[in-house]
Amino acid sequence: MPIRGQLWYLTQGAGSDAGLSFINGDGSNPTPVVDNDPTLDLATPFPEDVALDTAAGLYFVLSTDGSGTNASILVGHVGSAAPPVAVETYD
């Protein structure tokens, strides 16, 4: 039986280099979900971690200033083109 699913991952860097994407379990269809071009949709160029709540259709991103401080937790809807929104900020 083939394994099915998706791997969701983050990249860091300036502009569209910082982004959230996924790839299907068979290696097909790398798909960007959201990136920082033209606006900082991930709050900073340093998104650090992603988690999924597939039952609720949500994804969560932890984004910091690059040194692990000034963090924000962002939440977005799986399948939506809208950028995630900050639900918690830690200074």
Side-chain angles (χ1 to χ4, degrees):
M1 178 174 185
I3 297 172
R4 300 177 197 261
Q6 296 175 332
L7 171 69
W8 286 60
Y9 61 95
L10 293 162
T11 55
Q12 296 181 347
S16 62
D17 289 344
L20 171 63
S21 301
F22 67 84
I23 191 165
N24 290 329
D26 63 0
S28 66
N29 296 337
T31 305
V33 176
V34 65
D35 63 32
N36 279 348
D37 188 25
T39 60
L40 282 176
D41 291 341
L42 294 171
T44 74
F46 304 102
E48 305 239 349
D49 203 0
V50 61
L52 297 171
D53 181 343
T54 55
L58 300 173
Y59 64 86
F60 300 87
V61 173
L62 173 65
S63 196
T64 73
D65 63 3
S67 67
T69 60
N70 298 316
S72 294
I73 296 176
L74 311 172
V75 63
H77 293 271
V78 174
S80 172
V85 296
V87 293
E88 195 70 50
T89 302
Y90 305 94
D91 293 327

